[in-house]
Short mmCIF file of all heavy atoms in Angstrom, two decimals:
data_model
loop_
_atom_site.label_atom_id
_atom_site.label_comp_id
_atom_site.label_asym_id
_atom_site.label_seq_id
_atom_site.Cartn_x
_atom_site.Cartn_y
_atom_site.Cartn_z
N THR A 18 -64.69 -18.49 -1.52
CA THR A 18 -65.83 -18.26 -2.40
C THR A 18 -65.72 -16.91 -3.09
O THR A 18 -65.65 -15.87 -2.42
CB THR A 18 -67.15 -18.30 -1.60
OG1 THR A 18 -67.22 -19.55 -0.90
CG2 THR A 18 -68.35 -18.17 -2.53
N ILE A 19 -65.72 -16.93 -4.41
CA ILE A 19 -65.77 -15.70 -5.21
C ILE A 19 -67.12 -15.65 -5.90
O ILE A 19 -67.54 -16.63 -6.52
CB ILE A 19 -64.63 -15.65 -6.25
CG1 ILE A 19 -63.28 -15.48 -5.55
CG2 ILE A 19 -64.87 -14.52 -7.24
CD1 ILE A 19 -62.10 -15.44 -6.52
N PHE A 20 -67.78 -14.52 -5.79
CA PHE A 20 -69.06 -14.34 -6.48
C PHE A 20 -68.80 -13.69 -7.83
O PHE A 20 -68.12 -12.67 -7.92
CB PHE A 20 -70.01 -13.49 -5.63
CG PHE A 20 -70.42 -14.18 -4.37
CD1 PHE A 20 -69.74 -13.96 -3.18
CD2 PHE A 20 -71.48 -15.09 -4.36
CE1 PHE A 20 -70.10 -14.62 -2.02
CE2 PHE A 20 -71.85 -15.75 -3.20
CZ PHE A 20 -71.16 -15.51 -2.03
N GLY A 21 -69.29 -14.33 -8.88
CA GLY A 21 -69.01 -13.88 -10.24
C GLY A 21 -67.74 -14.53 -10.77
O GLY A 21 -67.22 -15.50 -10.19
N ASP A 22 -67.20 -13.97 -11.85
CA ASP A 22 -66.01 -14.59 -12.47
C ASP A 22 -64.71 -14.13 -11.83
O ASP A 22 -63.63 -14.58 -12.22
CB ASP A 22 -66.00 -14.34 -13.98
CG ASP A 22 -65.90 -12.86 -14.34
OD1 ASP A 22 -65.69 -12.02 -13.42
OD2 ASP A 22 -66.04 -12.53 -15.53
N GLY A 23 -64.79 -13.22 -10.86
CA GLY A 23 -63.60 -12.78 -10.14
C GLY A 23 -62.84 -11.65 -10.80
O GLY A 23 -61.80 -11.23 -10.30
N THR A 24 -63.36 -11.14 -11.93
CA THR A 24 -62.67 -10.02 -12.59
C THR A 24 -63.11 -8.67 -12.02
O THR A 24 -62.50 -7.65 -12.33
CB THR A 24 -62.94 -10.02 -14.11
OG1 THR A 24 -64.36 -9.92 -14.33
CG2 THR A 24 -62.41 -11.29 -14.76
N GLN A 25 -64.17 -8.68 -11.18
CA GLN A 25 -64.59 -7.41 -10.57
C GLN A 25 -63.51 -6.93 -9.60
O GLN A 25 -62.76 -7.73 -9.05
CB GLN A 25 -65.94 -7.55 -9.86
CG GLN A 25 -65.97 -8.42 -8.62
CD GLN A 25 -66.27 -9.87 -8.92
OE1 GLN A 25 -65.88 -10.41 -9.95
NE2 GLN A 25 -66.96 -10.53 -7.99
N THR A 26 -63.43 -5.62 -9.41
CA THR A 26 -62.34 -5.05 -8.63
C THR A 26 -62.84 -4.36 -7.36
O THR A 26 -63.99 -3.91 -7.29
CB THR A 26 -61.54 -4.02 -9.45
OG1 THR A 26 -62.36 -2.87 -9.70
CG2 THR A 26 -61.05 -4.61 -10.75
N ARG A 27 -61.94 -4.29 -6.38
CA ARG A 27 -62.14 -3.49 -5.18
C ARG A 27 -60.82 -2.81 -4.84
O ARG A 27 -59.75 -3.22 -5.30
CB ARG A 27 -62.60 -4.36 -3.99
CG ARG A 27 -63.96 -5.00 -4.16
CD ARG A 27 -65.10 -4.00 -4.20
NE ARG A 27 -66.41 -4.66 -4.33
CZ ARG A 27 -67.01 -4.92 -5.47
NH1 ARG A 27 -66.41 -4.62 -6.62
NH2 ARG A 27 -68.20 -5.48 -5.50
N SER A 28 -60.90 -1.78 -4.01
CA SER A 28 -59.72 -1.04 -3.57
C SER A 28 -59.79 -0.96 -2.05
O SER A 28 -60.69 -0.32 -1.51
CB SER A 28 -59.70 0.36 -4.19
OG SER A 28 -59.81 0.29 -5.59
N PHE A 29 -58.86 -1.60 -1.36
CA PHE A 29 -58.93 -1.77 0.09
C PHE A 29 -58.06 -0.76 0.83
O PHE A 29 -56.86 -0.63 0.53
CB PHE A 29 -58.51 -3.19 0.47
CG PHE A 29 -59.40 -4.25 -0.08
CD1 PHE A 29 -59.00 -5.00 -1.19
CD2 PHE A 29 -60.63 -4.51 0.49
CE1 PHE A 29 -59.83 -5.98 -1.71
CE2 PHE A 29 -61.46 -5.49 -0.02
CZ PHE A 29 -61.06 -6.23 -1.13
N CYS A 30 -58.66 -0.09 1.81
CA CYS A 30 -57.94 0.90 2.62
C CYS A 30 -57.84 0.40 4.06
O CYS A 30 -58.85 -0.03 4.64
CB CYS A 30 -58.70 2.23 2.59
SG CYS A 30 -57.88 3.58 3.46
N TYR A 31 -56.64 0.46 4.63
CA TYR A 31 -56.47 0.01 6.02
C TYR A 31 -57.14 1.01 6.96
O TYR A 31 -57.11 2.22 6.74
CB TYR A 31 -54.99 -0.14 6.35
CG TYR A 31 -54.77 -0.74 7.71
CD1 TYR A 31 -55.18 -2.04 7.98
CD2 TYR A 31 -54.17 -0.01 8.74
CE1 TYR A 31 -54.99 -2.61 9.24
CE2 TYR A 31 -53.98 -0.58 9.99
CZ TYR A 31 -54.40 -1.87 10.24
OH TYR A 31 -54.24 -2.43 11.48
N VAL A 32 -57.72 0.49 8.03
CA VAL A 32 -58.59 1.30 8.89
C VAL A 32 -57.88 2.51 9.50
O VAL A 32 -58.47 3.59 9.62
CB VAL A 32 -59.23 0.42 9.99
CG1 VAL A 32 -58.19 -0.16 10.93
CG2 VAL A 32 -60.31 1.18 10.74
N ASP A 33 -56.61 2.39 9.87
CA ASP A 33 -55.90 3.53 10.46
C ASP A 33 -55.78 4.68 9.47
O ASP A 33 -55.88 5.85 9.85
CB ASP A 33 -54.50 3.11 10.94
CG ASP A 33 -54.55 2.24 12.18
OD1 ASP A 33 -55.66 1.98 12.69
OD2 ASP A 33 -53.48 1.79 12.64
N ASP A 34 -55.54 4.35 8.21
CA ASP A 34 -55.48 5.38 7.17
C ASP A 34 -56.84 6.07 7.04
O ASP A 34 -56.93 7.30 6.94
CB ASP A 34 -55.09 4.78 5.82
CG ASP A 34 -53.60 4.51 5.71
OD1 ASP A 34 -52.82 5.17 6.41
OD2 ASP A 34 -53.22 3.63 4.91
N LEU A 35 -57.90 5.27 7.03
CA LEU A 35 -59.23 5.83 6.89
C LEU A 35 -59.56 6.77 8.05
O LEU A 35 -60.07 7.88 7.84
CB LEU A 35 -60.27 4.71 6.83
CG LEU A 35 -61.67 5.24 6.51
CD1 LEU A 35 -61.87 5.34 5.02
CD2 LEU A 35 -62.74 4.39 7.14
N VAL A 36 -59.27 6.35 9.27
CA VAL A 36 -59.55 7.16 10.45
C VAL A 36 -58.80 8.49 10.38
O VAL A 36 -59.34 9.54 10.73
CB VAL A 36 -59.20 6.38 11.73
CG1 VAL A 36 -59.16 7.29 12.95
CG2 VAL A 36 -60.22 5.26 11.95
N GLU A 37 -57.57 8.45 9.90
CA GLU A 37 -56.79 9.69 9.74
C GLU A 37 -57.48 10.64 8.76
O GLU A 37 -57.57 11.85 9.00
CB GLU A 37 -55.38 9.36 9.27
CG GLU A 37 -54.50 10.57 8.97
CD GLU A 37 -54.16 11.40 10.19
OE1 GLU A 37 -54.18 10.87 11.33
OE2 GLU A 37 -53.89 12.62 10.02
N GLY A 38 -57.97 10.09 7.65
CA GLY A 38 -58.67 10.91 6.66
C GLY A 38 -59.95 11.52 7.22
O GLY A 38 -60.26 12.69 6.98
N ILE A 39 -60.71 10.72 7.98
CA ILE A 39 -61.95 11.20 8.60
C ILE A 39 -61.63 12.32 9.59
O ILE A 39 -62.32 13.36 9.62
CB ILE A 39 -62.68 10.04 9.30
CG1 ILE A 39 -63.20 9.05 8.26
CG2 ILE A 39 -63.82 10.55 10.18
CD1 ILE A 39 -63.64 7.71 8.84
N TYR A 40 -60.61 12.12 10.38
CA TYR A 40 -60.23 13.11 11.39
C TYR A 40 -59.85 14.44 10.73
O TYR A 40 -60.28 15.52 11.15
CB TYR A 40 -59.06 12.57 12.23
CG TYR A 40 -58.70 13.42 13.41
CD1 TYR A 40 -59.49 13.43 14.56
CD2 TYR A 40 -57.56 14.22 13.39
CE1 TYR A 40 -59.14 14.21 15.66
CE2 TYR A 40 -57.21 15.00 14.48
CZ TYR A 40 -58.01 15.00 15.61
OH TYR A 40 -57.67 15.78 16.69
N ARG A 41 -59.07 14.36 9.68
CA ARG A 41 -58.66 15.58 8.96
C ARG A 41 -59.86 16.27 8.32
O ARG A 41 -59.95 17.50 8.33
CB ARG A 41 -57.61 15.25 7.90
CG ARG A 41 -56.28 14.83 8.47
CD ARG A 41 -55.22 14.79 7.39
NE ARG A 41 -53.99 14.15 7.86
CZ ARG A 41 -52.84 14.19 7.21
NH1 ARG A 41 -52.75 14.83 6.05
NH2 ARG A 41 -51.77 13.59 7.69
N LEU A 42 -60.76 15.49 7.74
CA LEU A 42 -61.94 16.09 7.11
C LEU A 42 -62.83 16.78 8.13
O LEU A 42 -63.32 17.89 7.90
CB LEU A 42 -62.73 15.02 6.36
CG LEU A 42 -64.00 15.49 5.65
CD1 LEU A 42 -63.70 16.61 4.65
CD2 LEU A 42 -64.72 14.34 4.96
N LEU A 43 -63.03 16.15 9.28
CA LEU A 43 -63.85 16.76 10.33
C LEU A 43 -63.32 18.13 10.72
O LEU A 43 -64.09 19.08 10.91
CB LEU A 43 -63.88 15.85 11.56
CG LEU A 43 -64.61 16.42 12.79
CD1 LEU A 43 -66.11 16.53 12.53
CD2 LEU A 43 -64.34 15.57 14.02
N LEU A 44 -62.01 18.26 10.82
CA LEU A 44 -61.40 19.51 11.27
C LEU A 44 -61.12 20.49 10.13
O LEU A 44 -60.60 21.58 10.36
CB LEU A 44 -60.10 19.21 12.03
CG LEU A 44 -60.25 18.32 13.28
CD1 LEU A 44 -58.92 18.15 13.97
CD2 LEU A 44 -61.28 18.89 14.24
N SER A 45 -61.49 20.10 8.92
CA SER A 45 -61.28 20.98 7.75
C SER A 45 -62.45 21.95 7.62
O SER A 45 -63.40 21.93 8.40
CB SER A 45 -61.16 20.14 6.48
OG SER A 45 -62.45 19.69 6.06
N ASP A 46 -62.38 22.79 6.60
CA ASP A 46 -63.45 23.76 6.32
C ASP A 46 -64.25 23.37 5.07
O ASP A 46 -64.95 24.21 4.50
CB ASP A 46 -62.84 25.16 6.12
CG ASP A 46 -62.18 25.68 7.37
OD1 ASP A 46 -62.71 25.42 8.47
OD2 ASP A 46 -61.12 26.33 7.26
#
């Protein structure tokens, strides 16, 4: 099932990459 005409876009990030980014941000200034 696609809602709309299907031309709308998304950008998918794998969870391990996201967790790495969160971890780095937490420890940043």
